[in-house]
Amino acid sequence: MEYVIEYVVFLAKTATIVIAVFAILSMMVAAGQRNRRHMQRGSLHVTHVNKELESMQQGLQRSILDKFSLKRFNKAEKKRLKDEEKKLKTDSGETRRRRVYVLSFEGDMEASGLESLRQEVTAVLTMAEPQDEVMVRLESPGGMVHAYGLASSQLLRVRQREIPLTICVDKVAASGGYMMACVADRIIAAPFAILGSIGVLVQLPNIHRLLKKNDVDFEMITAGEYKRTLTPFSEVTEKGRDKVKQEVEEMHELFKQWVKQYRPVVDIDIIATGETWTGTQAQTRNMVDAISTSDDYIVDACKESDVYEVNYEIRVPLGEKLGGALQKAMDKTLLTWWQRLREQRQF
């Protein structure tokens, strides 16, 4: 009987511990859910680029210059800054340096950087004035029409507020990427950056014959004559192919009109062939205004302006981060091989 009592007491203690742990875990989960509901979608990070450059310059000076040269340089620098401050004095005695806001957009097929871009543009427009400037470092091979159309519209918000907009292309701005770039007041490209591809593409595999060969039926019920035209599983019809071709042509015409509207200096019939060009080749076709890198542009801007790099970081779960990183790596790999097969240019 004594053993039975001890066993019951043991079970009671065990049950009490389990219930207590379960209660604590439940409270932690509930608190986490409440915090998640109140948590912001992301956070805005702002970097004063002038200070970063000054810090690097000072570090290099301390390593290279002797004490006398360093002292003389610092004295000259203080005098220069003081003279600049006097020039910028307004009638009210306040100083207001021109500001350059630097944004970055790295695009994939789905333009997944769009959400960050729209938040960055919104933040900048709360502060920027017509005397300031917005510079976007753009890198994108293009992708889905509706996604890049919206990304272009986000940049158009800057231009509509009469704030100068500059696009810098160091690597690639093709197709939807160039759709975004042409909105700018000024486009600057590195010498070997890839620009253009003003065209529209629809492609998909079709395994209808493979299904038919293996006696696999595919049924699709639709309402509306053109609800579905081309699919991977159904037989391709001339009527469906013609309809898709018509839609592609219409979309290409809209693309051409967009480029012509915001980049009227180009001869749209010459550049809207789906071809791509390097930065120097694009300049001869008036597709870009100057040849340089975004780094040189930022360094030069720091001489007479306060330059701020603005980045809105979206908070995403770890699983989505890993999945997004994998998809991004696959997109880059496919893009690299596609460019190699298409261009076949090697040095």
Side-chain angles (χ1 to χ4, degrees):
M1 187 65 180
E2 184 178 351
Y3 292 109
V4 175
I5 295 173
E6 289 180 358
Y7 183 67
V8 171
V9 172
F10 171 75
L11 288 178
K13 289 181 179 179
T14 303
T16 302
I17 294 172
V18 171
I19 293 172
V21 171
F22 180 77
I24 293 172
L25 290 175
S26 299
M27 287 188 291
M28 291 175 63
V29 170
Q33 290 176 343
R34 286 196 298 271
N35 291 336
R36 193 176 295 111
R37 284 195 295 267
H38 295 293
M39 187 175 63
Q40 294 180 345
R41 288 176 296 173
S43 56
L44 189 71
H45 303 278
V46 181
T47 303
H48 195 178
V49 180
N50 303 65
K51 291 183 179 179
E52 275 198 342
L53 288 176
E54 289 173 7
S55 178
M56 289 190 292
Q57 183 185 40
Q58 291 170 2
L60 193 59
Q61 289 169 352
R62 286 193 294 269
S63 300
I64 296 176
L65 300 179
D66 55 64
K67 291 183 179 180
F68 176 76
S69 299
L70 182 60
K71 185 176 180 180
R72 185 173 58 183
F73 179 86
N74 289 336
K75 185 177 180 180
E77 188 67 11
K78 287 180 181 179
K79 184 178 183 302
R80 183 185 67 81
L81 293 174
K82 190 174 181 180
D83 291 342
E84 283 187 2
E85 190 174 337
K86 286 181 180 180
K87 289 180 183 179
L88 292 169
K89 289 265 184 183
T90 62
D91 295 336
S92 61
E94 297 178 354
T95 50
R96 166 71 160 86
R97 288 205 356 142
R98 176 175 175 267
R99 300 186 185 116
V100 177
Y101 299 93
V102 179
L103 314 182
S104 296
F105 182 86
E106 186 174 349
D108 52 20
M109 293 298 293
E110 298 177 354
S112 55
L114 173 59
E115 183 60 29
S116 292
L117 177 65
R118 67 198 307 178
Q119 298 294 342
E120 291 161 2
V121 170
T122 298
V124 167
L125 291 182
T126 64
M127 293 289 294
E129 299 176 3
Q131 71 186 76
D132 300 322
E133 179 184 357
V134 175
M135 190 274 268
V136 180
R137 287 184 293 201
L138 175 63
E139 180 184 345
S140 175
M144 296 181 177
V145 174
H146 63 279
Y148 278 90
L150 181 55
S152 302
S153 299
Q154 292 299 322
L155 297 181
L156 191 58
R157 294 169 60 197
V158 177
R159 185 162 174 171
Q160 289 171 340
R161 292 281 292 272
E162 298 183 350
I163 298 169
L165 174 63
T166 301
I167 299 290
C168 289
V169 182
D170 290 326
K171 294 182 180 179
V172 57
S175 194
Y178 192 75
M179 178 188 289
M180 294 176 65
C182 71
V183 173
D185 297 288
R186 194 168 182 231
I187 303 175
I188 298 173
F192 290 93
I194 300 298
L195 300 101
S197 190
I198 302 173
V200 182
L201 170 68
V202 173
Q203 60 182 359
L204 76 165
N206 185 274
I207 60 172
H208 170 71
R209 286 183 293 179
L210 178 63
L211 296 177
K212 186 177 180 180
K213 181 179 178 180
N214 290 276
D215 296 325
V216 178
D217 293 328
F218 174 76
E219 294 187 9
M220 180 171 56
I221 301 173
T222 62
E225 185 179 2
Y226 295 113
K227 181 61 179 177
R228 284 292 180 270
T229 49
L230 301 182
T231 75
F233 309 107
S234 58
E235 183 179 4
V236 177
T237 64
E238 286 300 320
K239 189 174 183 180
R241 184 184 287 112
D242 291 342
K243 179 59 178 176
V244 172
K245 191 175 187 307
Q246 176 191 341
E247 292 173 350
V248 169
E249 292 290 345
E250 291 174 352
M251 191 60 65
H252 187 215
E253 190 62 33
L254 290 174
F255 193 174
K256 290 165 61 177
Q257 291 175 9
W258 178 274
V259 175
K260 184 63 178 176
Q261 179 180 356
Y262 295 106
R263 188 88 186 161
V265 294
V266 301
D267 187 331
I268 194 63
D269 293 325
I270 291 178
I271 67 170
T273 58
E275 298 173 86
T276 59
W277 296 276
T278 63
T280 50
Q281 292 171 330
Q283 187 181 30
T284 63
R285 293 166 173 79
N286 296 318
M287 296 173 67
V288 302
D289 299 293
I291 300 299
S292 182
T293 64
S294 62
D295 306 286
D296 286 331
Y297 190 83
I298 290 173
V299 170
D300 290 340
C302 286
K303 295 176 182 178
E304 297 182 353
S305 309
D306 282 323
V307 181
Y308 298 94
E309 186 169 358
V310 181
N311 176 46
Y312 189 86
E313 184 177 351
I314 304 292
R315 289 192 179 95
V316 295
L318 180 60
E320 290 185 19
K321 280 186 178 181
L322 294 175
L326 180 60
Q327 181 180 358
K328 190 175 181 180
M330 292 177 64
D331 286 345
K332 282 193 172 183
T333 302
L334 291 172
L335 174 63
T336 300
W337 281 106
W338 175 78
Q339 288 177 335
R340 288 178 181 176
L341 291 171
R342 188 173 183 222
E343 300 296 337
Q344 291 293 318
R345 298 174 184 173
Q346 297 181 358
F347 292 126

